[in-house]
Amino acid sequence: MEFRSAISKGDGVLMVVALVGCIHALFLSPMNCYGSHGEAISTTDRMYLESLSLQGTLTFDNTTASATDWGQLRSQLPPSGVMHPTSVDDIATVVAAVARSESELTVAARGLGSSIWGQSQAHNGIVIEMTSLKGIKVAPLGDAASNGVPFVEAMGGEMWVDVLTTSLEYGLAPRSWTDYLYLTVGGTLSNAGVSGQSFRHGPEVSNVLQLEVVTGTGEVVVCSATKSSELFFAVLGGLGQFGIIAKARIVLEVAPQRVRWIRAIYTDFATFKADQELLIGAAQPFDYVEGFVVLNNENAINGWGSVPFVRSDINAAMIPGHAGAIMYCLEVTKAYSAAALPTLDQVVESMLAPLSFHRGLLFEKDTTYFKFLDRVHEVEMELRAHGLWEIPHPWLNIFVPASSIDRFNTLVFKPIATQEFSGPILVYPVNKSKWDKRLSVAVPEGPEEIFYIVAFLRNKLPDTIGGPSLTEMLDYNESVLRICESLHCKQYLPHYEDRNKWTHHFGSKWDLFVQNKQLFDPCAILSPGLNIFTRGRHSLSSTNFLSNFANFCGGSPK
Ligand SMILES: Cc1cc2nc3c(=O)[nH]c(=O)nc-3n(C[C@H](O)[C@H](O)[C@H](O)COP(=O)(O)OP(=O)(O)OC[C@H]3O[C@@H](n4cnc5c(N)ncnc54)[C@H](O)[C@@H]3O)c2cc1C
Ligand SMILES: *[C@@H]1O[C@H](CO)[C@@H](O)[C@H](O)[C@H]1NC(C)=O
Ligand SMILES: *[C@@H]1O[C@H](CO)[C@@H](O)[C@H](O)[C@H]1NC(C)=O
Ligand SMILES: *[C@H]1O[C@H](CO)[C@@H](O)[C@H](O)[C@H]1NC(C)=O
């Protein structure tokens, strides 16, 4: 029980993100089951790769460290080799060499391996550790390069927290975020990057001015919405399938100094939903809008005890008698400057006035903009101290169309009341018009403007603490996905064992996705962990699109 109190002291929505044990050490660990390096690389390939002239390092010995990820769910063979690049040329050289090799070699860019199901791994391939390539440069307004829009240019392996720190030195900051900042620029831009700012600014992928990409043939291309735009939109949300993001230019705004951070509890879903949708509406009074499911239980990890910023600010007598087993918490922020402080209470009060949360259950806190954005890291430190950070994370993220969210509440959220649910469950709406249709990322189809981001951030607790087994959790996520099928949801950070499901996942975007693969990674060497395409001449032969590239893909090493 001790860990619960440690965890519930955390401030972040993700305060309970990690609660699990050493199951992996028993049977999921890749390290004990296989050799410490991939088996597949031939002597010819190895000699060929070793002969490349690189500034960084390429190693074939003990590559296990690059085979890990946040999920800890997949027993993954270590890659054949690992590169730590120190230049974009290093990346281009290795990618071109792999594309030309005659074997089955593949390449995966790896950020911090924050994926759940081995998406950044490459058994029988080379993992490129993107974090070894550093560089963050700010072009403030007035800088010749900025052309009226201030931006930051960061290498793909830089972490968002460092992008923020550097931008703040100029009084600037990116506008759109993820809840956690120890993720890489290239890793999140390959997915989408969503958080409570997405309703207004779109996901992170909607805030990129320009990319420098190494394509699957090893070509280095600078692209934007107006220059090589096919590649630009393919790569954003492209699951690493079309190129490696070497550099990204990200829009900046004047950084807020401080935020008022507010949580308010609702007992009724319809009211909660109506208020969330009101808040992402035209007037846009708050800067950040999220929400999460709260169990009507004091001590559960997602119980109401976890809602206030100071634990003692809530007690059982405050919970309305009519509340059911499930409640909902709205989370919003309002940015302000020191000069606005005298009128802040009044302003926030009038902004909250139209909302219908339970009046006695409102909690507020003032903090700096940096500390707010970095909130999950504080939780991370506590969980690490309890050995509850590096544990299996059978997470599931879904986009649910607004027209289905009531049924989702009935079919999925309400039954949660009966379960020990070891992690936060986020639910908040975003506007689809902020997601350019040309982006690779799959969002719910149809004309509906609003969809909900739903995240089940469950953790497999150590057996000594208890809770459901990993198998039960994975069965649970399967059952949610089955319900989702009839509700026309899309999986975010997607994973499918059955390759045929990718066609359905991308829906109307699938044909373009395949066409872009042919154009930008014709040998299908990039990010094999997604299990969408198979390397080689034959994998895509049904669409016959490798014919033009056969020489390139199968060509002998020079
Ligand atoms: C604690 C935590 C909180 C999170 N919160 C959020 C959140 O609020 N919102 C959200 O949207 N996501 C969130 N995520 C998910 C996160 O966005 C993904 O895990 C994403 O993959 C970024 O992780 P990474 O940088 O470690 O990339 P990795 O997991 O290493 O890589 C992800 C994929 O991108 C590819 N890739 C990596 N780098 C590049 C590159 N430079 N160019 C091309 N492809 C590349 C990889 O091959 C792989 O397929 C969270 C994850 C964690 C662990
Ligand atoms: C291989 O690397 C891992 C992680 O860096 C390390 O823990 C392990 O001891 C190494 N194994 C060998 C055989 O060197
Ligand atoms: C989001 O969509 C709603 C419904 O169409 C609309 O009223 C609102 O103005 C949109 N908000 C933003 C930020 O575009
Ligand atoms: C859920 O778990 C099942 C295994 O039961 C797995 O096949 C599926 O891909 C998982 N989905 C996600 C999104 O984790």
Side-chain angles (χ1 to χ4, degrees), residues 73-74 116-117 393-397 470-471 473-479 481 491-498:
L73 298 172
R74 167 146 290 181
I116 305 299
W117 287 103
H393 298 102
W395 286 9
L396 181 62
N397 288 269
L470 199 50
T471 312
M473 290 182 174
L474 293 177
D475 287 350
Y476 177 80
N477 83 32
E478 272 310 287
S479 71
L481 286 173
Q491 213 187 124
Y492 175 53
L493 308 168
H495 159 74
Y496 299 102
E497 293 297 333
D498 175 356

Side-chain angles (χ1 to χ4, degrees), residues 290-303:
E290 282 200 12
F292 51 99
V293 175
V294 177
L295 300 194
N296 189 354
N297 174 322
E298 177 165 5
N299 294 314
I301 285 165
N302 307 33

